Structures are given as C-alpha cells and as structure tokens.
Amino acid sequence: MGKNTTVNEELLKDDLYQAVNGEWLKTAVIPADKATTGGFADLSDKIEETLMADFQAMLDLKVTPDTPEMAEFIKYYHLASDFTTRDQAGFEPAKKYLDQVLALKDLKQWQEKLPELFLAGYDSPVVLYVSPDMKDTKHYALHADVPSLFLPDKTYYTKDNEQAQALLQVLQQMLTELFKKAGYADDFSQKTIAQALAYDAKLAPFQKDSTERADYVKSYNKYSFSDFEKFSTHLDFSQIVTGLVGEVPEKVIVTEPKYFEALDQLVNPENFAELRSWLFVKTMLDLTGFLSDEIRVLGGTYSRALSGSKEAMKPQKAAYYLASNQYSQVVGLYYAHKYFGKKAKADVYQMVEKMIAVYKKRLQENTWLSENTRKKAIVKLDALGINVGYPDKLDPLYQKYKVDPKLNLVDNTVNFTKIAMKRHYERLHEEVDRTRWEMPAHMVNAYYHPSFNVIVFPAAILQAPFYSLTQSSSANYGGIGAVIAHEISHAFDNNGAQFDEHGNLFNWWTEDDLTHFQNLAQEMIAQFDGLETTAGPVNGKLVVSENIADAGGLSCALEAAKSEPDADLREFFINWARIWGLKSSLEREKLLLAIDVHAPHVLRANIQPRNLADFYTVFGVKPGDGMYLAPEKRIHIW
C-alpha cells in the first residue's frame, strides 16, 4: 500500500475510496493463507516477515537472544517448529486431555473438577474471569460470562440462515475426519459430534448477539454472591469459586443475566452427556493447532471457511504465530526496541498531545453541552493516559514461562496456561495495575480502555501509510492523526461517555445533554444503516460507537492538520482514504458485517469526509457528485 500513489482525479468527487485505491485494487492479490491484503494487513505481513527472519537466525544459533525471556521464547518456538517430532507423535499428545473429559461420569464429578479444568484452560458453559470492576476500577471483581459458540454469533442459529448451514456442514465434516485421525470409532464420533452441535444450539438462544454486546455498558450487572448462587440448583458455585480464588467474594458481575437465568435448563444432570460431548469437541479444536502438521491443517478447515482463506499457513509460519502468541509481550518488546526509534515515539507523542489540545478547544467551544457537563468532559480529557510504542517493563508473568525440553509442545503449553490462569485469578485480591498493556507492541492496532481512561498506540501501527517521518504533516494527520483522535473520541462515544475521568461507570451528564447526544448518535446510526456493500447491508446500530469515533477523529485531525505551516488538505484526505485501502475475501466481509463493530473499510473512507465542509472545498464537490451530501444531512458530534 505504501507504493500506491496513483490517484484517479476524475473519480475524486464521486468515490474517494476508489479514486485513491482503485488502481491498486485491480492488481492486489490476497495471499492464499490470508483473508485480506492492504492497509493494516500489509503492515502485519511486513512485521511477520521481519520477525520470522530474525527468529530464524536465533533458531539457527547465528544470533543469541538478549534476554532470558527471549531465550525461553526461542526454545518454545523450536518446539513449535519441530514438525518431525510433531508429525511422529500425531494425535497422541492430545489424548490425555481428551481422556480427562471422557472420564467425567456425571455433573457432580465435572463440577468438583471445574476449578482444575478452568486453570488448565478447558472450556465451560459458564465462564468465570477476573477484570476491573467498572464502577470501582481500582479493584478487580469476579465476572461471570457466557461461552463462545461454534458459529460466530447468535444470529447464525436462526433456521433461515443459509450461511450457517453451509458452515455447520464444513464443521461436521472436519470433526468427522479429526475423530478418524484420532482413532475413535465411527459410532462414538457421530454421537459425540451430534450431541456437541445440539448442545451448542441450545446455548445460543439465551445469549446476546453482536449488536447487543456492542452496548457494553449493559454487561455490568452486579449480584451479591448469594443471589448469584440462585442461578443454578445443580452447581455449587461456592465450591467452584473457592477452588479458583480461595474464597467466596461478596459480588459477581454477570455480563448476560438472561443466559444465567436459563442456567438450570442448560446445565443439569439430564443433559450432561451433551455437555460433555460439547466439552470434548471444544477441547479437540483447541488442541489441533499443536499437533502434527496434517492435523493442524485439517483442524483449521472451519476457520478458513469462515474467513475465506484459500489455504493453510505453511508450517513454519504457523509455528511463528503459535509461539509469538504465547510470548506476545516478549516478542512485542523485542520488535519495539529494535525497530521503533525514540525520535518517532517523541514525534507521535507530540501529535497525541496536539490532538488532545484540539479536542479540548472543541469542548470549550461546544455549543450544545451545558457548562457543567462541558467542564466534566474537559476533566476527563485532562486525565486521559497516553501510551505510545511499548510498555516500560515486561509483565513478570513471562519470567515463569520455562520450557521443559522433556515435555512435548502440548504439555508445555498447558503448563503455561496453568501459570497464566493461576496468576489471572490471583489478581482478584490485588489493586488494579493500570500500567498493563492489552496489546503487544508488534500488533498493528490501537485502543482506548474506558476503565483506565487510557489510549494506547503500539509501535507497529506507527509506520507508513499511517505515519512516517518522511511523509508530510498533513498525510500523517490523515493517517495516524485520525487514528489517534479516533481513540480519544472513544472516551466520548455512546459507550465511553458513560465513564468518568477515573474510568468508573458513572453518569456525569445532565439529562438534556445526554438526550441531545443520544439523538446525534441516532443520526449516526441512520447515516449508515442499510448502506449496501458487496457482502450485504450495514447494521447501523452495531457500528455506531466506531463511527462516532471516526467522525470525531477525522474532524479533530483535520483541524490539527490545518494548524501546521505546511498544511495540504488534499494530502490529508487522500491518506485517510489510503489507510482504509483493503481487499478481502467475500466470506470475511460477510462475517465482519455480522459481528464487527467497525463499518466496512470502503464506508469508513467515504462517509466521514462527506460530513466535513473542507472536503467539498478541497475537491470542488457539488450537488450531483457521488460524494455530495446536503449540508442538513451532515453530522457533527464533536
């Protein structure tokens, strides 16, 4: 994408995205083992290539790892890369973990072993985890959540969903072949697969769909532990939770009460056989990627059908992702220290500060907020934390990951899972560590964390076309500047606006201000709802928070770009369109349309500029042009 500089001048007034990316799209080829190319994906591919070369040199003993954690990572990577050993072992390393599921005779025995199973990373129809309490973010709370389903979302389980039928067929066929490779008898295989799919279908109606989950504030439902226990007459939650965290906490945050209200229907002695089959299949799917190459490739058939990838990754690349995911922060710090300069970090940090200043000015001059709400919004903005590049220190957890060369890849991985899960549950008794990063530095992404009121920009995204010291300031503002302001805007989107400066869920709005804001959010929903794409129509409600962030981000980045002495707004808008240049499989586009809170990339490039007066001036867009939107239909929130 960085080489794509051809702009179709005739198209600029009708389709900004095609004008900037059209020539590239004609020749762009999606890698056979991926579902996308361009934009974010290109940067990820480049990092993958760079790090694989670096780590291969360490595997070949040409370069010595410079930290103990990196040395352990290379040992683990070696295990993951040793397909000779993995192929010889076949399914055997997974058998003892599958046998543990088969050994469960009834619900009572499963419940007694649940703490041990949770710590080993087994799935469960009840998910218990530790996370900051949204209303008291200095402290952690125990949360009760729902499990992931085989299909991507609850909506796939409706009878008229043709896509779901095709996917289930692929899943069923893949599982049948996996059971055969594992040496299980046909009658056992057919019965287990049928029971697992039937149980999964029973769970789906009681879960939220992606649109409901996008309103994440509604996932905060606090119950006293005694009230939480009432959700099940068959499970002893007191015994389970004490086994995990050493005590019975005062409260539990339940993400989806409707699901837990149905728990007696879903988890009971009568349907335990189905539940166990579901656990068995889930465990098998979790383990296939760690086994022989043949089983790894076979076990990825369903996910490739979902994404539209034409073929599996080559063995060494698969080993790289497996190992780097296990040691993500170790790999991230290696990447950041070697490839991300201090000059770039300082420059980007300065851009973030400038963007916050622009936002502050806008809040100060805002005409629809009352003075009280406006002051509180500025307090929140002043308290916003900024993380650029990489964390200051490595999570001590990685010091505990010691590879045992006598054990196989699966056993080492399960041991690491036990270490990580034990540490995870221990956090319930500690104050929240706000310095922990949730993304490694080599990940091409960025985020805003509402409970910490912090924005985070990993090193990997801070490169062209998003950002470069050799690009003009306007191009940088149209790229990384808009991304920075987008993340700041999340502090004031329909979800983020419900958290205060400390990250606590707290309504700091007057009733009139909140109503006005919600009406503006509704306009944003309407602007996108039903827009047609090659994969189908857009669900405006699902993508509203990201669209509010895009609108605020692009608008604020534009103001910052205009303040620079070398401002070139044409470059600003062209680079905005360029960063969204992406070619994806139709399968992936359909999947994202159903479950992703971001609008399709074409619409992100084209819709938001139409809301900005400067866009019309720069490109001479007039009524009748494809990019024209009547002034009264243009939306301005921040």
Side-chain angles (χ1 to χ4, degrees):
M1 286 295 293
K3 294 174 184 174
N4 171 34
T5 52
T6 309
V7 176
N8 185 328
E9 299 294 330
E10 292 173 15
L11 262 182
L12 278 169
K13 296 180 184 182
D14 290 316
D15 189 332
L16 177 65
Y17 178 82
Q18 279 293 333
V20 174
N21 301 301
E23 284 303 306
W24 171 81
L25 285 165
K26 286 176 190 172
T27 56
V29 177
I30 300 170
D33 63 353
K34 300 280 175 74
T36 60
T37 190
F40 289 75
D42 274 4
L43 294 188
S44 296
D45 291 349
K46 196 166 77 178
I47 290 166
E48 166 199 291
E49 194 180 315
T50 301
L51 292 180
M52 279 186 73
D54 283 7
F55 298 150
Q56 189 61 48
M58 294 183 197
L59 284 176
D60 295 340
L61 306 179
K62 292 174 183 172
V63 175
T64 305
D66 59 358
T67 67
E69 294 80 16
M70 180 55 71
E72 290 299 319
F73 161 70
I74 292 299
K75 286 183 198 172
Y76 185 78
Y77 189 20
H78 175 74
L79 275 183
S81 307
D82 184 2
F83 280 95
T84 304
T85 302
R86 287 174 65 173
D87 291 347
Q88 283 170 354
F91 228 101
E92 202 51 42
K95 281 287 179 68
K96 69 178 177 186
Y97 300 103
L98 291 165
D99 287 347
Q100 282 181 23
V101 177
L102 290 182
L104 299 167
K105 299 302 177 199
D106 53 31
L107 192 72
K108 186 172 183 294
Q109 192 185 17
W110 171 65
Q111 179 205 279
E112 285 167 0
K113 286 191 173 289
L114 246 187
E116 181 189 323
L117 294 170
F118 269 125
L119 288 168
Y122 281 85
D123 287 277
S124 164
V126 175
V127 178
L128 297 171
Y129 69 94
V130 170
S131 191
D133 183 331
M134 275 193 204
K135 289 194 174 180
D136 175 18
T137 54
K138 279 188 177 179
H139 300 101
Y140 289 105
L142 186 68
H143 290 65
D145 200 3
V146 304
S148 60
L149 302 165
F150 289 132
L151 290 169
D153 177 77
K154 171 186 180 169
T155 54
Y156 282 71
Y157 289 78
T158 53
K159 283 180 182 170
D160 56 347
N161 194 314
E162 289 175 23
Q163 204 181 346
Q165 297 313 310
L167 286 170
L168 282 173
Q169 208 171 345
V170 172
L171 178 62
Q172 223 163 341
Q173 180 60 38
M174 180 189 82
L175 287 171
T176 302
E177 290 183 45
L178 282 172
F179 273 73
K180 198 180 288 181
K181 296 280 180 207
Y184 294 109
D186 282 352
D187 56 345
F188 168 79
S189 303
Q190 286 169 19
K191 184 180 179 184
T192 304
I193 294 166
Q195 285 182 331
L197 294 178
Y199 189 70
D200 202 62
K202 278 182 183 169
L203 302 179
F206 301 102
Q207 293 199 10
K208 289 182 179 181
D209 63 28
S210 297
T211 306
E212 292 169 312
R213 283 181 187 150
D215 188 356
Y216 59 71
V217 169
K218 287 185 178 163
S219 69
Y220 189 87
N221 305 282
K222 186 163 77 170
Y223 289 78
S224 67
F225 195 85
S226 56
D227 282 343
F228 175 66
E229 284 187 294
K230 292 173 188 170
F231 282 128
S232 176
T233 56
H234 305 294
L235 294 177
D236 182 348
F237 278 124
S238 183
Q239 180 254 325
I240 295 166
V241 171
T242 303
L244 283 176
V245 299
E247 65 181 32
V248 170
E250 287 178 17
K251 65 190 174 195
V252 180
I253 313 300
V254 177
T255 59
E256 300 190 20
K258 183 186 166 188
Y259 178 90
F260 280 85
E261 282 159 10
L263 205 55
D264 270 350
Q265 284 173 252
L266 303 175
V267 180
N268 56 58
E270 290 71 40
N271 69 10
F272 179 73
E274 278 189 350
L275 187 161
R276 186 178 62 183
S277 292
W278 181 82
L279 288 176
F280 187 89
V281 168
K282 285 264 187 176
T283 305
M284 181 180 277
L285 292 175
D286 287 344
L287 291 172
T288 54
F290 299 87
L291 304 173
S292 72
D293 197 48
E294 183 185 28
I295 293 164
R296 171 189 75 82
V297 173
L298 175 58
T301 309
Y302 175 65
S303 62
R304 289 194 296 279
L306 266 177
S307 70
S309 303
K310 291 183 174 61
E311 60 185 50
M313 285 181 182
K314 296 287 186 283
Q316 191 60 32
K317 192 188 284 190
Y320 159 76
Y321 276 106
L322 190 153
S324 60
N325 286 342
Q326 182 66 59
Y327 281 83
S328 60
Q329 295 286 357
V330 174
V331 172
L333 281 182
Y334 169 86
Y335 170 80
H337 289 148
K338 185 167 181 182
Y339 296 105
F340 185 62
K342 286 184 179 176
K343 188 178 177 187
K345 182 171 182 171
D347 193 49
V348 172
Y349 201 94
Q350 195 179 342
M351 283 179 78
V352 176
E353 290 182 317
K354 181 161 187 174
M355 216 63 70
I356 289 172
V358 170
Y359 229 104
K360 190 170 184 175
K361 178 171 171 278
R362 292 202 159 193
L363 285 170
Q364 286 166 338
E365 295 171 357
N366 182 288
T367 55
W368 58 268
L369 284 176
S370 65
E371 188 180 355
N372 199 35
T373 306
R374 189 164 60 243
K375 277 181 180 172
K376 285 180 177 170
I378 291 168
V379 166
K380 180 173 185 180
L381 189 65
D382 284 342
L384 186 70
I386 306 167
N387 288 337
V388 173
Y390 49 91
D392 293 333
K393 61 182 189 297
L394 181 66
D395 188 328
L397 177 71
Y398 291 96
Q399 294 167 6
K400 298 177 182 178
Y401 287 174
K402 304 287 186 191
V403 174
D404 185 341
K406 297 189 292 295
L407 298 179
N408 60 46
L409 178 62
V410 175
D411 288 345
N412 269 292
T413 305
V414 172
N415 284 347
F416 288 175
T417 300
K418 287 175 181 174
I419 290 166
M421 295 305 289
K422 181 175 180 288
R423 180 72 194 102
H424 174 82
Y425 288 112
E426 282 171 358
R427 288 202 176 94
L428 185 63
H429 312 291
E430 301 168 6
E431 278 210 2
V432 171
D433 178 4
R434 289 169 176 256
T435 66
R436 290 179 69 227
W437 282 46
E438 297 194 344
M439 274 179 194
H442 67 297
M443 181 178 278
V444 184
N445 213 326
Y447 68 92
Y448 168 74
H449 196 309
S451 290
F452 296 167
N453 192 30
V454 65
I455 45 176
V456 181
F457 304 99
I461 199 171
L462 305 173
Q463 52 185 311
F466 294 90
Y467 167 81
S468 169
L469 288 166
T470 61
Q471 281 181 175
S472 71
S473 67
S474 292
N476 280 341
Y477 278 115
I480 198 64
V483 172
I484 290 167
H486 167 104
E487 298 305 338
I488 297 169
S489 296
H490 272 311
F492 305 99
D493 69 16
N494 57 312
N495 284 313
Q498 298 181 67
F499 294 81
D500 67 14
E501 71 272 21
H502 305 295
N504 291 318
L505 187 56
F506 174 75
N507 181 17
W508 44 273
W509 296 69
T510 66
E511 200 173 322
D512 287 349
D513 289 345
L514 191 58
T515 300
H516 187 94
F517 174 70
Q518 286 167 342
N519 289 339
L520 289 171
Q522 201 56 48
E523 285 179 29
M524 188 64 79
I525 291 172
Q527 189 173 68
F528 278 79
D529 199 49
L531 291 177
E532 280 297 335
T533 71
T534 50
V538 174
N539 175 348
K541 197 173 177 187
L542 175 64
V543 296
V544 62
S545 64
E546 293 295 335
N547 286 335
I548 290 172
D550 271 353
L554 189 64
S555 177
C556 286
L558 175 64
E559 188 169 329
K562 285 162 74 173
S563 72
E564 295 288 342
D566 61 343
D568 182 339
L569 300 192
R570 176 189 158 86
E571 277 195 32
F572 173 87
F573 285 112
I574 284 174
N575 205 40
W576 164 257
R578 183 167 286 128
I579 66 172
W580 301 118
L582 200 67
K583 195 171 196 174
S584 303
S585 66
L586 184 60
E587 293 89 342
R588 184 175 188 273
E589 287 180 4
K590 284 181 178 176
L591 175 67
L592 295 184
L593 208 56
I595 67 169
D596 191 11
V597 292
H598 301 84
H601 52 278
V602 180
L603 300 180
R604 294 184 82 173
N606 274 349
I607 302 296
Q608 298 302 349
R610 298 167 76 194
N611 288 319
L612 300 171
D614 281 313
F615 177 74
Y616 296 84
T617 309
V618 171
F619 295 107
V621 176
K622 298 197 166 47
D625 294 332
M627 289 295 293
Y628 184 80
L629 187 66
E632 67 275 10
K633 291 184 177 176
R634 296 172 198 170
I635 301 169
H636 307 280
I637 299 181
W638 299 114

